[in-house]
Amino acid sequence: MAEQSKPAPRGKRERLTQAAVDLAHRQGYRNTTLAHLAEAADVPLGNIYYYFKSKDDIGRAILDQRMGEIAQMQAALAELPTPLERLLGFVEATINNAPLVAERGCPLGSLSAEMAREDGDWTGPAKGLLGGPMAWMEKQFGQMGREEDAADLALQLQSSLQGASILAHSLGDPALLVREGRRLQKWLGALAADSPG
């Protein structure tokens, strides 16, 4: 087999999916048309139907992509040795996204809220966009020795991050999310110091 000197171009379905993810974050899933998608992915409009039979199929592809991104982040954080470091890393990733969140909103929170208002068969799984990370946080708190209040702590962490994301987006100020993220990192450190074991 001959060596390829340059990487193969991304497939049309992958380009369409990535364009759909980007458009849904920039202008909302509901406001994204097939024509927008065709233009953004540089694919003829008629070809979209070969890959996606309906807009609901596009919604499922967007959801699958975002859920895959969550899984990748959790896999990367799993390499860190302690639950505290993993939680701190999660918050740091949110802080690093502050400029994008201030401009367009939280990619997961915005999509989750919008999909909750839709009627597609993916609206139930869309709850995993925020619920999945919150369950992961609960597991980390449990591993820190906080089994009894792990669910409450996960709720507090997710609520604080999402609330700060909404404020940063609404006010166009990424510093708000950074400030809350740094406060949460100190809070996590104090919790770990007070945790049994």
Side-chain angles (χ1 to χ4, degrees), residues 11 20 22 24 26-27 39 42 47 49 58 68 72 76 78 95 109 114 117 126 131 137 144 151 155 166 168 186:
D22 294 341
R26 190 171 356 139
Q27 64 191 35
E39 182 181 347
D42 194 26
N47 287 10
Y49 294 101
I58 294 170
Q72 286 177 342
I95 290 169
E114 188 171 14
R117 293 188 298 266
M137 292 172 191
M144 280 172 52
L155 175 61
I166 290 170
K186 289 178 186 173

Side-chain angles (χ1 to χ4, degrees), residues 61-81:
I62 293 169
L63 178 58
D64 289 347
Q65 174 92 4
R66 288 298 190 196
M67 295 299 281
E69 291 168 5
I70 292 169
Q72 286 177 342
M73 182 174 68
Q74 290 175 353
L77 292 172
E79 299 295 317
L80 297 173

Side-chain angles (χ1 to χ4, degrees), residues 74-114:
Q74 290 175 353
L77 292 172
E79 299 295 317
L80 297 173
T82 68
L84 172 61
E85 290 174 277
R86 293 190 285 273
L87 287 166
L88 291 172
F90 185 94
V91 174
E92 191 65 31
T94 305
I95 290 169
N96 292 339
N97 279 334
L100 182 63
V101 170
E103 181 184 340
R104 297 184 187 173
C106 171
L108 302 181
S110 301
L111 184 61
S112 180
E114 188 171 14

